[in-house]
Amino acid sequence: MGRSNFAPEKKVDVKFTDDYGISEGAVDNGGPTREFFQLCLHEIKDRTGIFEGPSNSKILTCNSKAMKDNGYYYAGQIMAMSIGHGGQSPCFLSGLLYDCLHKGPDNIKVAPEEIPDEDIKSKVMSADTESQLQDAVMQAASLISLAGHSVRITLANKQETAFDLAHWFRDGLKALGVLDELLRYPVQLKSLFPKPEKGVMAAEDAECEDSVSLEDILVSFSGCESLPALGFSPKPSLEFISYSRFPVANTCENILRIPFHNAYSDFKTDMDFAIRNSPGFGRA
């Protein structure tokens, strides 16, 4: 992504290889791309150190290495590319961070309880007098400077200061026009960033606590944990087979092939086993 000729709008062509560098050889008709972006989003969310907070409600955090490496910009760009190239949506941002994206950080007021950084929360938010606040600011100076905030902090603006972070990767979301559409249709696009209150649901055995979830089934035959913003192409379909005791998936064609069994208990056991062990390209 750092190459001068990199263009996020160009078609993505993904090939997965084994430890010896040998690829599976199939043409990428959508399945590998979707799984690639799923892996990228997991990496951004959990391993880059630019987000903090609950798994499905992340906000940005201070990371000097990511700032130096342009990591916030690239994270936003990957999110935009996943949406634009048919991958899953990055639905793990907090509602507060989404508000910062479409309204601008300067227009968001943050309550102390909404800030997960305990250092800022305890040192800045607990200040009752101007003197206490400035002492706390000095102790948390490194965090505040990393946030790119240059305005003098006062009792009147301390809440805004503690969460003036969203601009770090906002420019990356401009790729493929995603930020422009977010600003134009903030209500309609909100479901792509914060996790929906209700996930993929159906009145099936898949909702049982000890069974696979519908998200697990979705990953196994499409490479996505959530519905892509642009929908599936081609439309998902179901087929029945007799040549295997386990289900078989085609992630490029979005086909889930279901085996016949004489007993429902055997069918359920084999389905659960296969779907739980299918994540990872080439296994489904």
Side-chain angles (χ1 to χ4, degrees), residues 37-272:
F37 281 117
Q38 180 208 17
L39 295 172
C40 286
L41 293 176
H42 274 288
E43 187 78 10
I44 290 170
K45 181 182 73 167
D46 299 325
R47 298 185 181 181
T48 57
I50 67 174
F51 289 102
E52 64 178 330
S55 177
N56 295 323
S57 185
K58 296 287 188 181
I59 67 167
L60 290 169
T61 189
C62 302
N63 187 312
S64 58
K65 185 178 186 303
M67 291 182 68
K68 182 179 179 180
D69 297 340
N70 221 13
Y72 291 92
Y73 175 84
Y74 291 144
Q77 195 170 64
I78 281 287
M79 291 180 183
M81 290 178 65
S82 183
I83 293 172
H85 288 284
Q88 69 183 55
S89 305
C91 45
F92 59 80
L93 304 187
S94 69
L96 187 63
L97 180 51
Y98 183 76
D99 288 342
C100 285
L101 290 176
H102 80 84
K103 294 180 182 178
D106 296 337
N107 300 315
I108 299 297
K109 291 186 179 294
V110 183
E113 61 271 14
E114 294 177 301
I115 301 172
D117 192 302
E118 295 299 329
D119 194 29
I120 292 180
K121 185 185 298 184
S122 62
K123 292 180 179 178
V124 177
M125 292 303 175
S126 62
D128 295 322
T129 67
E130 186 68 31
S131 176
Q132 290 176 346
L133 176 63
Q134 294 310 318
D135 287 343
V137 168
M138 289 300 295
Q139 294 179 48
S142 60
L143 292 174
I144 294 167
S145 64
L146 285 175
H149 194 89
S150 58
V151 179
R152 182 177 184 272
I153 301 171
T154 67
L155 289 173
N157 71 6
K158 65 179 183 179
Q159 288 187 344
E160 289 88 341
T161 298
F163 199 75
D164 189 12
L165 306 172
H167 63 283
W168 282 351
F169 81 134
R170 209 164 179 256
D171 283 349
L173 286 171
K174 292 179 180 178
L176 287 86
V178 169
L179 181 62
D180 289 340
E181 296 305 306
L182 186 156
L183 297 176
R184 189 175 292 124
Y185 305 107
V187 176
Q188 291 85 345
L189 267 67
K190 186 172 184 178
S191 62
L192 305 185
F193 294 92
K195 188 173 180 64
E197 293 183 5
K198 293 184 178 180
V200 183
M201 298 181 65
E204 304 289 343
D205 271 352
E207 286 194 82
C208 295
E209 185 175 343
D210 60 345
S211 288
V212 298
S213 66
L214 288 184
E215 284 84 358
D216 294 330
I217 298 174
L218 195 62
V219 171
S220 71
F221 82 87
S222 72
C224 285
E225 291 176 318
S226 59
L227 302 180
L230 300 181
F232 285 112
S233 180
K235 184 179 179 180
S237 61
L238 187 67
E239 296 179 359
F240 295 93
I241 57 176
S242 58
Y243 59 81
S244 172
R245 59 179 283 196
F246 299 108
V248 178
N250 183 325
T251 60
C252 286
E253 299 298 326
N254 299 319
I255 300 173
L256 179 61
R257 296 183 172 94
I258 303 295
F260 286 106
H261 282 69
N262 292 326
Y264 176 72
S265 59
D266 294 337
F267 168 78
K268 187 174 185 303
T269 298
D270 288 346
M271 286 289 290
D272 282 359

